[in-house]
Amino acid sequence: MWAGVALAAVAMAAWAAWLGWDQHRDVHPDGSTTGPYEAWQVVGLGLTLLAPVCWAAFRGYAVAGVVGTTAGLTVAAFYDWSDDASGLFVIGTILVMIGTLAVTSAVALLATALKRKGE
């Protein structure tokens, strides 16, 4: 259980480090807006979280790695986006949860398979 809690904390800290500071949308000359995040920030977040998920899987805590990371990113997204008056942040948060669950599950399965192959 503690591994999951630790990984949730790592995921929330990684969200804050990579995405938490960028809260402004970019307005282009044609009036369209993008953001608030750039692609490199999201890629950096994903790459940063690969290490703890793989570490957990190699140590035999694959489920804790998946659940902890998913919970941490979901809570961070909910907190970061909850000031959206439209209420659409809930859909975004659910999509973050589903995407994180899918990717961390695949990474944990791959890491576990590689560990078993190496034994």
Side-chain angles (χ1 to χ4, degrees):
M1 180 173 123
W2 290 111
V5 171
L7 285 164
V10 167
M12 287 187 281
W15 179 284
W18 283 101
L19 305 178
W21 55 272
D22 193 359
Q23 300 297 317
H24 301 290
R25 297 195 175 272
D26 299 323
V27 180
H28 300 285
D30 64 356
S32 64
T33 59
T34 58
Y37 314 120
E38 298 292 334
W40 64 267
Q41 291 173 282
V42 178
V43 170
L45 174 64
L47 292 175
T48 300
L49 292 176
L50 277 177
V53 171
C54 289
W55 174 85
F58 279 123
R59 298 284 183 162
Y61 300 113
V63 173
V66 171
V67 173
T69 304
T70 301
L73 285 184
T74 302
V75 168
F78 185 88
Y79 178 79
D80 193 21
W81 299 339
S82 62
D83 60 349
D84 176 37
S86 71
L88 291 176
F89 76 93
V90 175
I91 294 170
T93 303
I94 291 169
L95 291 174
V96 166
M97 180 183 64
I98 292 169
T100 305
L101 184 62
V103 171
T104 55
S105 295
V107 168
L109 284 171
L110 180 63
T112 302
L114 288 173
K115 179 186 176 202
R116 287 188 182 147
K117 185 177 180 182
E119 289 180 350

